[in-house]
Amino acid sequence: MRDRFVNQALTKWMEGTGKESEIVISSRVRLARNLCNIPFPNVASKAQAQAIVGQVEAAIKDAEIEETAGDLIFVNLEALEPLDRAVLVDKHLISPQHAEEASGKGLILRADEAVSVLINEEDHLRIQCLFPGLQLEEAWELASRIDDLLESKLDFAFDEKLGYLTACPTNVGTGLRASVMMHLPALVLTNQASRVLASLSQIGMTVRGLYGEGTDATGNLFQISNQVTLGRSEEEIIANLVVVATQLIDHERMARQVLLKETNPQLEDRVCRAYGALTSARIINSQEAMTLLSNVRLGIDLGIIQGVSPRVLNEMLVLTRPAFLQKLAGRELSPFERDVQRASLIRERFSLDG
Amino acid sequence: MYCDECKKRPATVHVTKIINGQKSEVNLCEECARAHHKEWSMAYDDNFPINKFLAGLLGFDAGKATGSVSLNLHAPGKCEHCGANYNQISQSGRLGCHQCYDRFQDKVEPLLRRVQGSNRHTGKVPKRSGGSIRLQREIQSLRAKLQQHVNNEEFEQAARLRDQIRELEKGMAE
């Protein structure tokens, strides 16, 4: 079973390493790029889409790219089973949109999954780098280097005034969307989260749930990203986000100290009950699992629970997702069967540490 | 049945709340329900579909910017390069190709200023396709640095930068 976790589920961002990793789960940088003279994916014909896939596939076979970016694997999404594509979504390697309609779509993955290049999603190319902890600068540097190498082979649509041209005007300019996924349970428990996070929109940041636009902030996980992509340099965008993340980390730490001091028995009770439920439950839905895992993780961070790896939350974020459960079971599962499978998987994972 | 809130419009939305085991039911009309929904959903909720929102802005822009019939007549038709027409774009919130930015410039520019707060890229420039603009930007930034060195009376560094700028300018002239 342990092998299964290691071989199939774990990806770099789940390692729980990197700076500030007790609060920042992962850092991601995405660059949107398009090729000149071919319509954007929403308008391109199937033949045009396939031509792009071919061009990009040829471009990455370049030795110099391999040297910088590491071992890159090209995946034709059409050749993957829908369930496998769903697993890639669970691992945050591709977007749900990319997985849904696989025709004429491709993906380039680095062996350690820290780099993925989506071909023909909303834009011709989306270069993504996903690192554990707070490592936005590192992710940007790597994404930019891969961008340079691809640009040396491919003609990108670029305008002197507007910068990189993208299908959606919200990405034009730098094409850069940087985001950090943060675990902020103490801000939520002390009722500060909505106030603090709402204020971010006033400084050009957006806050979303775990799986992007239109999803809830289950498990007290929030994804904070830059909203503006035009008129600011990449370095400014990244630096702003680092400042915001650092402030949120400080707020969260302070809130945790307050909780520890003022409501210790209640906090301990909440954490230990969550641990008890997770290690005993026979049926558990994903929402409940996320909430309990968030509490357990807070308990680990505060030293209330010992002997459990802080990685457990990061890993379970992916492992307890419907697609992954079905992948592990090797067949399609009804929602009820998934809840049973999820509970058993969580018990098994906790027994590894216990 | 009338709406519990305004007591005027017919109730079409029925909400059951269970708080601490106490069940309560509210019957609302669509309008009051919407007002309630806003209250219930959290302030940071970002659930609205961005493309629809943009499409709305584009549509709104079309009405506002054109205003008069004469301008409406010359309202954009089709992008010759990808075939996308303005209708499609304003509905999907997405442009069809890089040339659409040029073709529908008078619609996209005000939108960008509104959504992005700016309409001028100041970031990275691609090495190959960026060509002269990359050099220009580099010269600009070197000039700024040179000025700083002059202000600090660091003439040696300033002279080095001056030579560097000359080199680049030569490159541009070629």
Side-chain angles (χ1 to χ4, degrees):
Chain A
M1 190 63 205
R2 200 184 286 257
D3 281 352
R4 223 200 258 172
F5 284 117
V6 175
N7 293 340
Q8 291 181 10
L10 275 188
T11 169
K12 202 175 165 183
W13 67 267
M14 288 179 238
E15 279 170 9
T17 55
K19 276 179 281 178
E20 319 288 1
S21 64
E22 94 261 32
I23 291 167
V24 181
I25 306 286
S26 62
S27 303
R28 177 210 298 263
V29 161
R30 175 270 271 161
L31 294 175
R33 299 289 185 255
N34 286 283
L35 305 187
C36 267
N37 298 320
I38 306 175
F40 297 148
N42 59 322
V43 170
S45 68
K46 185 150 192 212
Q48 284 169 323
Q50 273 160 350
I52 290 164
V53 173
Q55 276 191 48
V56 179
E57 191 186 356
I60 65 146
K61 294 217 165 111
D62 182 82
E64 206 188 340
I65 292 191
E66 290 261 275
E67 212 172 280
T68 303
D71 264 344
L72 298 175
I73 304 144
F74 172 80
V75 185
N76 187 342
L77 280 197
E78 273 177 79
L80 285 185
E81 295 291 320
L83 183 58
D84 290 340
R85 297 202 296 265
V87 167
L88 293 177
V89 176
D90 284 353
K91 287 174 118 176
H92 297 249
L93 296 172
I94 65 175
S95 64
Q97 190 193 347
H98 206 51
E100 213 167 276
E101 181 46 70
S103 163
K105 288 181 181 169
L107 171 69
I108 294 162
L109 270 180
R110 191 163 86 174
D112 68 356
E113 301 177 357
V115 178
S116 58
V117 181
L118 283 61
I119 311 170
N120 288 329
E121 201 229 29
E122 186 178 286
D123 294 295
H124 291 154
L125 287 170
R126 288 204 158 178
I127 303 163
Q128 297 195 142
C129 291
L130 183 56
F131 282 26
L134 183 60
Q135 298 195 66
L136 279 170
E137 284 110 341
E138 292 84 346
W140 152 244
E141 270 164 35
L142 179 58
S144 180
R145 281 213 309 274
I146 295 169
D147 174 44
D148 288 342
L149 291 168
L150 287 170
E151 199 261 337
S152 70
K153 307 273 159 203
L154 303 164
D155 288 323
F156 285 165
F158 182 82
D159 177 82
E160 287 202 3
K161 194 177 162 204
L162 295 180
Y164 292 95
L165 301 177
T166 53
C168 185
T170 52
N171 294 316
V172 79
T174 56
L176 168 69
R177 191 82 59 212
S179 56
V180 277
M181 194 189 329
M182 304 186 77
H183 184 225
L184 305 172
L187 282 184
V188 174
L189 278 174
T190 53
N191 293 323
Q192 298 178 72
S194 53
R195 194 166 45 84
V196 172
L197 296 173
S199 68
L200 293 183
S201 69
Q202 284 159 18
I203 51 167
M205 303 277 165
T206 44
V207 182
R208 292 173 180 164
L210 178 54
Y211 284 86
E213 212 173 300
T215 60
D216 296 333
T218 14
N220 302 318
L221 289 161
F222 299 89
Q223 195 178 287
I224 294 131
S225 47
N226 65 303
Q227 188 153 33
V228 169
T229 56
L230 183 62
R232 287 181 200 171
S233 73
E234 290 83 355
E235 285 75 16
E236 278 175 87
I237 293 171
I238 299 282
N240 281 347
L241 191 54
V242 170
V243 168
V244 166
T246 310
Q247 293 210 345
L248 285 172
I249 292 167
D250 288 346
H251 276 292
E252 170 69 18
R253 287 212 177 111
M254 274 192 286
R256 287 182 184 190
Q257 289 317 309
V258 170
L259 282 178
L260 262 185
K261 249 189 231 144
E262 289 178 10
T263 56
N264 208 0
Q266 286 103 310
L267 183 66
E268 270 185 30
D269 183 66
R270 176 186 277 265
V271 166
C272 295
R273 273 172 191 268
Y275 181 77
L278 285 172
T279 48
S280 316
R282 288 337 195 227
I283 303 163
I284 195 163
N285 67 33
S286 68
Q287 179 92 23
E288 189 188 2
M290 290 293 298
T291 307
L292 296 174
L293 283 162
S294 167
N295 285 329
V296 166
R297 172 71 203 254
L298 178 64
I300 297 169
D301 290 341
L302 293 178
I304 298 170
I305 292 178
Q306 267 148 17
V308 182
S309 159
R311 273 160 56 159
V312 71
L313 171 72
N314 309 19
E315 290 171 15
M316 290 295 139
L317 282 180
V318 170
L319 282 166
T320 59
R321 297 283 303 168
F324 231 105
L325 291 171
Q326 302 189 65
K327 185 76 194 164
L328 286 177
R331 68 185 174 90
E332 212 173 291
L333 301 172
S334 69
F336 178 74
E337 286 176 312
R338 291 205 295 263
D339 290 351
V340 172
Q341 175 95 353
R342 182 178 295 111
S344 116
L345 194 72
I346 290 172
R347 290 200 312 276
E348 206 170 333
R349 176 61 187 81
F350 273 90
S351 72
L352 284 181
D353 283 330
Chain B
M1 193 194 308
Y2 286 100
C3 170
D4 291 345
E5 197 74 23
C6 65
K7 312 225 170 4
K8 276 186 247 156
R9 291 175 287 262
T12 51
V13 180
H14 309 279
V15 186
T16 309
K17 282 195 271 189
I18 300 171
I19 298 169
N20 294 334
Q22 289 281 358
K23 192 169 146 187
S24 66
E25 274 184 38
V26 197
N27 304 300
L28 300 168
C29 69
E30 221 164 299
E31 211 170 313
C32 293
R34 211 171 295 137
H36 262 269
H37 183 74
K38 265 198 199 129
E39 229 174 85
W40 296 331
S41 58
M42 287 200 251
Y44 55 79
D45 200 309
D46 188 35
N47 276 344
F48 71 93
I50 185 77
N51 288 317
K52 278 221 179 100
F53 173 69
L54 283 176
L57 279 179
L58 278 165
F60 177 65
D61 254 354
K64 205 179 159 195
T66 53
S68 68
V69 183
S70 63
L71 272 170
N72 251 335
L73 285 177
H74 117 154
K78 215 163 108 170
C79 168
E80 290 73 22
H81 184 247
C82 69
N85 64 41
Y86 188 68
N87 243 356
Q88 274 171 301
I89 293 173
S90 66
Q91 263 164 31
S92 68
R94 292 196 182 104
L95 289 97
C97 72
H98 70 291
Q99 289 187 10
C100 287
Y101 276 93
D102 218 23
R103 178 68 184 78
F104 303 110
Q105 194 186 6
D106 50 335
K107 300 288 164 197
V108 174
E109 290 258 326
L111 172 78
L112 287 178
R113 272 200 300 274
R114 192 169 307 167
V115 177
Q116 301 269 11
S118 164
N119 60 355
R120 193 163 280 278
H121 177 60
T122 53
K124 185 171 175 174
V125 176
K127 288 200 177 65
R128 238 162 23 93
S129 33
S132 68
I133 176 158
R134 195 175 59 84
L135 282 174
Q136 261 172 29
R137 293 249 170 106
E138 207 170 321
I139 292 170
Q140 262 169 19
S141 104
L142 286 177
R143 281 211 183 109
K145 274 188 206 150
L146 180 125
Q147 193 55 48
Q148 240 172 8
H149 283 308
V150 171
N151 291 347
N152 299 342
E153 300 184 7
E154 296 157 348
F155 298 114
E156 221 171 287
Q157 285 104 314
R160 218 174 321 140
L161 284 177
R162 182 202 56 208
D163 294 344
Q164 227 177 316
I165 291 169
R166 280 197 188 141
E167 266 316 293
L168 289 175
E169 279 172 341
K170 241 195 278 168
M172 279 199 50
E174 272 161 18

